[in-house]
Amino acid sequence: MKGKSIVLSLALGMSLIGCKKAEKKVEIKTEEDKTFYTIGSMLGQRLATLGLNDQEIGAVTKGIVDAAKGKEPLVAVRDYQPKVQELFRERMKKQSSKTKEDGKKFLESFVSKEGAQKTASGLAYKILKAGTGKKPTATDTVEVHYHGTLIDGTVFDSSVDRKKTVSFPLNRVIKGWTEGLQLIGEGGKIRLVIPAELAYGDSGAPPKIPGGATLNFEVELFKVMAPQAAPAPKAAPKAAPKKAAPKAAAPAKK
């Protein structure tokens, strides 16, 4: 099913971003139009990481049109289906490598030009406000505000923008957060530049976070809460007392 999902996503996405003539004629008016447009947008964002050129987009679009019209395919489709996943992996890896390299330059610039520090794990950080309260441990729950961007400034998530703090156990998030938040106390604020290895790796978190992405966060720590102890197990019900076995009947007299 996974292979079919990739094929379908690739095909539908390319048809939506490749048919330029159709795009000029389409008007998004009804609620159904908007729903289909949203499907196209989601698929297009996912496929954008492959870095396809016009020839490749055209080839995919040709395949969609021929199949939709019931024409005989130009290639043995079944023979090429396994290659779709292989191509997908190779392109994702290639794009991830470039994204990682750009992120590495951004992180090093942050350290050299902005007076940030770098830990042994590769995390870069700058304490904006140390805080005067308790510092969290990895198992504590923290209440924070955060603002997360890619290195180009694109916002992918922000509790600040939502105007609502969030709370979570510190060991249930990406490694860069688990390490970085332990450097400040309650009332503190820190900027974290987190390489992919300490974030979402080569896979990313599509569609907003591409594979290999270095993440840039500003995090304000409001409260540290110790982990809650697991409730004590309920006492097992006592076993009912065993009944004495009935005595054997005396043999009848002859």
Side-chain angles (χ1 to χ4, degrees), residues 55-175:
Q55 171 62 26
E56 291 162 344
I57 293 173
V60 175
T61 304
K62 173 66 175 171
I64 293 170
V65 173
D66 285 354
K69 292 185 175 181
K71 293 183 178 180
E72 187 71 21
L74 299 178
V75 301
V77 174
R78 285 192 177 183
D79 293 344
Y80 278 88
Q81 282 180 352
K83 295 186 178 182
V84 172
Q85 292 188 57
E86 182 182 344
L87 181 145
F88 203 91
R89 285 193 296 268
E90 288 178 356
R91 289 296 178 90
M92 290 293 289
K93 185 176 180 180
K94 182 178 179 181
Q95 289 296 108
S96 176
S97 296
K98 182 181 184 305
T99 303
K100 279 184 178 180
E101 188 60 34
D102 291 342
K104 182 179 179 181
K105 292 176 183 177
F106 180 87
L107 187 149
E108 295 301 335
S109 176
F110 174 54
V111 172
S112 62
K113 295 181 180 180
E114 299 191 41
Q117 299 182 63
K118 188 177 178 182
T119 69
S121 69
L123 172 71
Y125 70 93
K126 183 176 183 180
I127 296 176
L128 306 177
K129 185 179 178 183
T132 56
K134 176 184 176 182
K135 286 186 176 180
T137 65
T139 56
D140 286 334
T141 293
V142 295
E143 180 186 353
V144 301
H145 249 331
Y146 66 90
H147 187 72
T149 67
L150 303 178
I151 63 174
D152 65 359
T154 301
V155 178
F156 59 82
D157 195 11
S158 174
S159 70
V160 176
D161 290 348
R162 292 192 296 272
K163 299 180 180 179
K164 186 176 182 180
T165 61
V166 293
S167 299
F168 45 77
L170 198 51
N171 58 3
R172 300 282 182 87
V173 289
I174 57 175
K175 293 179 181 179

